[in-house]
Amino acid sequence: MNRHASRALAEPTSDAVATAVLHGTVEAATMPGLPTGCLGVQGALATGDDSRPVRDALIAWREDGRAHLTRRFQQAVDAGDLPPSTDPHLLALYLRTVANGIAVQAASGSSRPELLQVANLALGSWPKQ
């Protein structure tokens, strides 16, 4: 897990975790002077059999991140920060799906301000206790 993800998971509330993940994704995917997007999202998604070990490693890396979020959101449910009806796995999958989409859109040329608006739109649907 990278420093950005570790910091996000340490946030005190689930909505602060989600904000840190999405805003951090926008920042990382649109750093001036660096390639846009995310290698972990885009790398080896459309490769042949020869690249299967790379593809599998990236899938495992992404799944590890989702698992960390799932555990963190279960803690939030247990602590009363999220409604008891919340599915932590589904919420983590939703957050990673939005973050991955942000990375793809950054690689496609979307601007940082546009992507922050997308992140904030997604955060507006965050479950409230």
Side-chain angles (χ1 to χ4, degrees), residues 8 11-21 69 72-77 80-83 86 91 95 123 126-129:
E11 291 290 339
T13 64
S14 65
D15 62 333
V17 170
T19 300
V21 166
L69 285 169
R72 177 61 182 86
F73 295 150
Q74 182 61 60
Q75 291 172 350
V77 170
D81 177 46
L82 285 170
T86 301
L91 195 57
L95 189 63
L123 292 167
W126 199 253
K128 305 288 186 230
Q129 180 60 334

Side-chain angles (χ1 to χ4, degrees), residues 93-116:
L93 182 60
Y94 168 71
L95 189 63
R96 290 307 319 150
T97 299
V98 173
N100 292 347
I102 285 171
V104 169
Q105 291 303 316
S108 298
S110 294
S111 70
R112 182 177 281 196
E114 287 175 315
L115 295 173
L116 282 173

